[in-house]
Amino acid sequence: MTRAIGYPRILSLENFRTPNFKLVAELLEWIVRRFDPSAAISAEQTATEQERVLFIKQAVLLLLQNTRLKLNPRKLYQADGYAVQELLPAVKLLYEAGKRTHAEDLHTHWNAVKSRLNAKMQEIRIARQLSTQLPQTGAALHELLLEGENLQQQRNRATSRTIPLAEAEKTVQNSIEAIVADTEVQNKLSNVSSDEVALDEKIERKAREYEQMQKRYVKLQSFRPQYMDEYERLESKLKELYELLQYR
């Protein structure tokens, strides 16, 4: 399994028949660095018993922090088959991670290949579309070039023609007069527009005045002066007196 996870040496259980702390330390350092490449740990600094104990404690702590694996430091310190069994969970973890990474790499590679294929297919579709438009575009370009040659010939004939000075002056004068006449017409039209606006405003103002007078007239019709009752009474009395005078 160590070969599958990329360990540079070939290991077997025969290597751990007798305690082999140096080999266990190298393997343990390699495993720790696979999980934490920046780990400050070295299997070479294990010459004394104190250094070996410190190395084991440091490695166990780093694995616990990075993988949540709790290893038995005593079994690791024995550096025999029990130490190998203690390291198996970490090795299996690396093995499973390698398998997942390989599968993810294959999936990523396949997605990249699919993306490139889709891009190439899109380019092919665009090329086919352009190829179908190419004859029409070429024919249109040919017609435009022929038309350009004809227009160039007409321009050359026009520029090579000698125009009499009197005729040119007359043409310019006629153009000026036409422009002046058109300007006058435009001014008159603008004046008519302004007159229409003023007339509309005047009509609207008169309409408002008429409406106000109508309202005032209606109000006056419904108005009854205070002396009207007395006037009607006197008028009635006057009629009676007039009738009496007629009978006499």
Side-chain angles (χ1 to χ4, degrees), residues 183-245:
T183 304
E184 291 178 355
V185 171
Q186 292 294 333
N187 292 333
K188 289 180 180 179
L189 289 175
S190 61
N191 293 333
V192 169
S193 300
S194 61
D195 292 341
E196 287 180 354
V197 173
L199 184 59
D200 291 338
E201 292 178 353
K202 187 174 181 180
I203 292 172
E204 186 177 357
R205 185 171 63 254
K206 292 296 183 181
R208 288 197 299 269
E209 292 177 358
Y210 174 75
E211 185 178 356
Q212 291 176 359
M213 292 179 68
Q214 284 287 104
K215 291 180 180 179
R216 187 175 180 184
Y217 174 71
V218 172
K219 187 181 293 184
L220 288 174
Q221 283 184 335
S222 62
F223 178 73
R224 184 178 180 84
Q226 296 179 357
Y227 56 84
M228 198 66 186
D229 294 336
E230 185 179 0
Y231 171 78
E232 290 178 351
R233 188 176 65 255
L234 292 174
E235 185 181 13
S236 177
K237 189 175 181 181
L238 183 61
K239 286 182 179 181
E240 292 176 358
L241 292 174
Y242 179 74
E243 290 176 356
L244 289 174
L245 289 175

